Amino acid sequence: MTSSPFRWRLSLTTYFLIASALLSATNTIRTTPSVAYAAPFFPYSSSLSLNNTKRQTTTDLDPAHYRTQLYKSDKVIEEFEDLLNSPTLDSCQICRKGMKMAQEFSLDAPELVPGVLRILCTRYSFLRLDSCAGLMVRLGPELAEIFSQMNVDGSDGYYACAYGFPGSCPVPKHQPGPITFPKPKPANAAQPAPSGESMQVLHFSDWHLDPLYRPGTEAQCSHNICCRDFGSWNDPGPIKKRASKWGEPKCDTPIALGLSALEAIQRFVPNATFGLFTGDIVSHDAWLITEKYVADLETRSYELFKKYLQEMRLYVVLGNHDSYPSDQAPARHKPEQYLTHQWLYDHVATVWEKNQWITSIEADYARSHNAMFMTRPMPGLKLITLNTDLFYVRNYYNMLDTEQDDPSGLFHDLILELQDSEDRHERVWIMGHMAPVTLTLPRSSILFQRIVARYSPHVIAGIFTGHYHQDKFIVMHDPDAKEHTQASAINVVYQGPSITPLDKANPAIRWYDVDPKTFSILDSHTVTADIITQADYWEQNDMEPEWILEYSARSTYNDPLHPLPPHEPLSPAFWQSAVERMKDDAGLFDKYIRYQSKSSAQAKECLHGTVCEEETRCELQASTVLEHNVCEAMLEVEVMNVGGKGGRKKPKPNRWKRFGVTRNGRVLDEREYDAMRGIPVGQSGRRR
């Protein structure tokens, strides 16, 4: 390490920044977070416990101690700077050495981790300054715990780099080991014959209520959500677009829009037998939230659902934004664990039971199983809920025990429940926040596909998710199939549309026509309101949003040459047929793209006959994250002048490659990491 006038100036600046960070970290443990705007709305409440004896946590206020801690922080930042400028290391080696440094620092001075992360975050422009400050204060204690337990020299450290700093290390492609199911699949397993009857089931998702939404504020700000008064962090200059009362495409759900959506449910689905809510109550301001904010917003939102849906039973799962910090959910419960989310599981289970959505026995199960439960909404149907954070790559607790196929036990429990239902000759719906085909650990994604294949089509009648804020479906295929055909289609994931208009998508709700004996889906109906183009008009004319029936899946995707017989369900083959016909039917593909955004005028353009169309059709039948990655790779290079005549190739920038802070390192060679990422020797050329 060398010294220079610049380094000394850097050290002085760092001294004052870390002094502030130290006070912030100490206050986080002892009283309230120092980040403005979080505490005034809801008082802060912490679940910190200092039980990890491996770590040297202290709240010593002696000035000598502070000088020592400042020196440690300054030193680790300088070492990180030197690491980034290494002329001999590639980006993956740099990241993995950085993980080793992070572990040593977390074990030695865990209370300093949030402050140091905050400085590095702001210095390298990973996020806005205010977002860095708030997010690192919230995530820092969790990351210190994760770093301290991580096997940084092994698979854990590699996964943490690949997913925590996309672009640093090649993405893992590990395959899980074989599954030994309790019993073999019955011969000639088939879904039961239709009964000719029908009932309705509600499905809505991604509520994302923003209690701090303020009409008249900036709707086109530089934060990841707008329509708020951020005080001193407001964008300079005059307001470019005034936030309407009813919502905006870069904002979360205002209370007026949320209530309007609940009223629309009353009008369109008044006789639903029961309802599904596939998660995400909390707003997207992860850098501002507190435990109290999350808990109170969940309680108030569930109370609104109960008030408007009245006696309808609503079954709920947690989304990635329904925890504190956002996305984080530890799968392991050990006595020495530094942080725990037990408060969250106790809280939501209590509210769900109070609203009479689940029984006391189911609530107790949810408390001890990461808010997951099993219930029987009707005779002959079991509903299995999953906490999908347990295989989400942005849940940094999943960077622990990465060499294991099922560290949380989620898939073990899922198999036992499915086997129980097979033995009882009952049908099953699986419900979670996100489908395990994107942003999912590769082993988890493949395990889920194998499990679905084993228990389809005779047991699993439907899979229901949300998360993506779009109206979508995914056809799952047999893992042993050589190609995707109607015969290889085994099940369908129904991705529910969001209430929030964030990401330039109109709000929507959905309901299904369901066979009450077989519980197969007969039709799917989507209702939407054109917030994107009509919100200002409705507000100026003192009007309520106009909710309209956008489309029926059965009518839209039915094959006119081979129409589906009455009372026959929307089978996996039906949906695969729709995907296949989109290749030659531009009108059908254009309808899908329009309905995906819920008829948003600001939806990203995706034209038939382009690479976007090919990628979209690929994603609609991608059963695993590895297959989905192949689809995304189609957009790594955009082909201009589609048609093959003089096509010019234009590289497409990868917006996830944020690890662009190396200056002098050598170029990454993916082949050097085949063994670490799970690619067998000799298969480098065959990357699925």
Side-chain angles (χ1 to χ4, degrees):
M1 184 182 302
T2 59
S3 181
S4 68
F6 170 76
R7 174 59 56 83
W8 282 110
R9 289 195 298 271
L10 180 65
S11 298
L12 288 172
T13 302
T14 304
Y15 180 93
F16 291 109
L17 286 171
I18 294 176
S20 171
L22 270 169
L23 292 174
S24 173
T26 303
N27 287 339
T28 301
I29 295 174
R30 296 167 67 89
T31 54
T32 61
S34 63
V35 180
Y37 208 75
F41 185 66
F42 286 118
Y44 178 76
S45 172
S46 176
S47 63
L48 284 169
S49 63
L50 307 180
N51 296 325
N52 189 337
T53 56
K54 293 188 298 181
R55 301 171 347 134
Q56 304 300 315
T57 303
T58 180
T59 56
D60 189 353
L61 299 181
D62 180 74
H65 167 74
Y66 266 93
R67 286 193 295 271
T68 301
Q69 300 299 74
L70 288 170
Y71 171 76
K72 290 179 180 178
S73 300
D74 194 15
K75 185 173 183 293
V76 77
I77 291 174
E78 289 182 3
E79 290 175 349
F80 184 76
E81 290 269 344
D82 290 340
L83 179 62
L84 290 180
N85 285 290
S86 170
T88 60
L89 303 178
D90 62 33
S91 59
C92 189
Q93 292 169 325
I94 288 173
C95 184
R96 298 193 69 195
K97 283 183 176 291
M99 287 292 168
K100 186 69 173 178
M101 291 168 53
Q103 182 178 66
E104 294 171 353
F105 190 62
S106 297
L107 290 169
D108 184 41
E111 71 273 19
L112 300 184
V113 170
V116 170
L117 290 175
R118 169 182 173 181
I119 292 168
L120 294 174
C121 180
T122 54
R123 183 169 296 171
Y124 293 104
S125 302
F126 295 149
L127 298 168
R128 287 175 50 112
L129 178 61
D130 55 334
S131 299
C132 279
L135 197 58
M136 292 308 134
V137 165
R138 286 151 178 77
L139 267 178
E142 309 258 344
L143 292 176
E145 168 64 14
I146 292 166
F147 287 143
S148 70
Q149 296 190 34
M150 184 182 292
N151 177 11
V152 293
D153 296 322
S155 177
D156 293 353
Y158 186 87
Y159 270 68
C161 283
Y163 292 116
F165 295 91
S168 62
C169 295
V171 175
K173 297 189 176 183
H174 288 101
Q175 298 278 334
I179 303 175
T180 302
F181 290 103
K183 297 179 181 179
K185 187 172 183 176
N188 302 317
Q191 64 180 9
S195 69
E197 304 175 40
S198 178
M199 67 179 186
Q200 293 180 333
V201 175
L202 169 69
H203 182 190
F204 67 112
S205 192
D206 294 84
W207 171 253
H208 289 297
L209 185 68
D210 187 356
L212 300 178
Y213 187 103
R214 295 292 180 269
T217 55
E218 178 61 75
Q220 296 179 356
C221 70
S222 58
H223 289 85
N224 68 322
I225 61 169
C226 303
C227 303
R228 284 181 168 196
D229 181 1
F230 288 100
S232 60
W233 292 106
N234 282 333
D235 291 352
I239 291 177
K240 297 182 285 292
K241 169 66 172 69
R242 175 186 172 277
S244 75
K245 170 184 177 181
W246 298 112
E248 295 288 343
K250 201 182 175 186
C251 306
D252 268 331
T253 307
I255 185 62
L257 174 60
L259 296 179
S260 179
L262 294 175
E263 291 170 352
I265 291 174
Q266 291 179 321
R267 292 199 306 273
F268 283 91
V269 208
N271 299 315
T273 304
F274 59 90
L276 310 177
F277 175 73
T278 45
D280 268 4
I281 291 287
V282 181
S283 49
H284 284 87
D285 51 335
W287 73 100
L288 293 174
I289 64 172
T290 66
E291 253 180 41
K292 187 70 163 59
Y293 179 96
V294 170
D296 284 0
L297 194 51
E298 287 170 344
T299 299
R300 296 177 187 185
S301 295
Y302 294 146
E303 287 174 348
L304 283 175
F305 296 170
K306 180 65 175 178
K307 176 181 177 181
Y308 279 81
L309 303 182
Q310 298 177 6
E311 299 305 313
M312 182 195 302
R313 284 167 297 146
L314 184 68
Y315 300 107
V316 179
V317 294
L318 290 183
N320 58 299
H321 285 278
D322 294 334
S323 59
Y324 175 84
S326 293
D327 304 333
Q328 306 309 302
R332 304 183 306 174
H333 293 282
K334 293 185 176 181
E336 71 273 16
Q337 190 158 309
Y338 175 55
L339 297 173
T340 175
H341 284 209
Q342 191 60 52
W343 68 270
L344 174 64
Y345 306 142
D346 290 343
H347 166 67
V348 295
T350 298
V351 177
W352 298 343
E353 181 185 0
K354 177 184 175 183
N355 287 344
Q356 298 181 325
W357 296 337
I358 59 176
T359 67
S360 60
I361 295 175
E362 292 160 355
D364 286 342
Y365 187 93
R367 291 184 182 97
S368 60
H369 288 77
N370 299 84
M372 297 182 286
F373 62 90
M374 278 65 68
T375 188
R376 288 181 171 83
M378 297 178 62
L381 175 66
K382 178 191 288 183
L383 177 65
I384 301 175
T385 69
L386 303 179
N387 184 340
T388 57
D389 275 355
L390 300 183
F391 48 70
Y392 185 37
V393 297
R394 293 178 187 167
N395 173 12
Y396 298 123
Y397 283 99
N398 288 336
M399 302 303 106
L400 300 173
D401 301 324
T402 54
E403 74 286 351
Q404 298 182 26
D405 289 347
D406 185 23
S408 69
L410 180 152
F411 295 109
H412 172 271
D413 293 345
L414 177 60
I415 289 172
L416 292 180
E417 291 295 334
L418 289 169
Q419 186 60 56
D420 172 71
S421 293
E422 183 179 80
D423 294 342
R424 294 171 182 265
H425 303 287
E426 68 183 356
R427 300 278 267 166
V428 168
W429 283 4
I430 298 175
M431 175 184 171
H433 179 58
M434 67 186 78
V437 295
T438 63
L439 299 176
T440 300
L441 296 174
R443 286 189 179 97
S444 300
S445 182
I446 296 169
L447 282 174
F448 186 75
Q449 181 196 30
R450 292 178 182 175
I451 293 169
V452 170
R454 163 61 181 85
Y455 292 98
S456 294
H458 58 303
V459 177
I460 302 174
I463 304 167
F464 306 90
T465 64
H467 181 66
Y468 297 95
H469 297 188
Q470 296 176 321
D471 187 334
K472 303 175 70 173
F473 66 89
I474 299 173
V475 184
M476 296 194 68
H477 288 266
D478 189 324
D480 297 325
K482 301 299 182 182
E483 59 180 348
H484 292 166
T485 65
Q486 294 180 42
S488 70
I490 55 173
N491 222 300
V492 179
V493 178
Y494 291 91
Q495 294 188 358
S498 66
I499 299 296
T500 181
L502 188 68
D503 297 332
K504 303 179 181 180
N506 279 315
I509 59 174
R510 180 193 283 176
W511 83 85
Y512 304 104
D513 294 335
V514 180
D515 188 314
K517 303 299 182 183
T518 68
F519 304 102
S520 298
I521 304 300
L522 301 174
D523 202 354
S524 172
H525 309 268
T526 298
V527 172
T528 186
D530 190 4
I531 295 296
I532 302 299
T533 61
Q534 298 297 311
D536 289 334
Y537 174 80
W538 291 331
E539 182 176 9
Q540 291 165 6
N541 292 275
D542 197 24
M543 298 170 61
E544 296 284 322
E546 181 184 6
W547 294 82
I548 62 171
L549 177 61
E550 185 184 31
Y551 78 103
S552 150
R554 193 181 188 95
S555 298
T556 300
Y557 298 115
N558 210 352
D559 186 347
L561 298 180
H562 305 283
L564 200 64
H567 307 302
E568 282 292 321
L570 306 186
S571 65
F574 168 89
W575 289 103
Q576 179 63 23
S577 169
V579 175
E580 293 171 357
R581 286 183 287 116
M582 288 180 193
K583 182 176 182 179
D584 299 316
D585 189 338
L588 183 63
F589 177 77
D590 291 343
K591 284 182 180 179
Y592 172 77
I593 292 299
R594 181 167 74 252
Y595 296 151
Q596 177 181 260
S597 69
K598 298 160 283 184
S599 299
S600 169
Q602 294 187 19
K604 181 180 178 181
E605 186 178 65
C606 186
L607 300 177
H608 191 267
T610 66
V611 176
C612 180
E613 176 240 320
E614 186 178 359
E615 184 215 17
T616 299
R617 287 190 295 101
C618 179
E619 290 180 348
L620 288 175
Q621 45 191 326
S623 303
T624 67
V625 68
L626 300 184
E627 291 182 3
H628 191 273
N629 290 345
V630 172
C631 303
E632 286 189 329
M634 294 177 179
L635 289 184
E636 289 292 328
V637 175
E638 289 186 341
V639 180
M640 310 301 293
N641 302 321
V642 173
K645 296 182 179 180
R648 181 170 60 88
K649 294 185 177 181
K650 175 184 177 183
K652 181 180 178 63
N654 186 340
R655 66 189 181 97
W656 294 114
K657 290 189 177 180
R658 292 178 174 173
F659 201 81
V661 293
T662 58
R663 268 86 72 175
N664 304 313
R666 64 185 182 88
V667 176
L668 177 76
D669 185 350
E670 288 193 358
R671 292 172 298 181
E672 295 180 6
Y673 295 94
D674 281 353
M676 181 62 69
R677 63 195 297 219
I679 297 178
V681 176
Q683 295 188 17
S684 297
R686 295 187 287 132
R687 301 172 185 269
R688 286 195 62 199

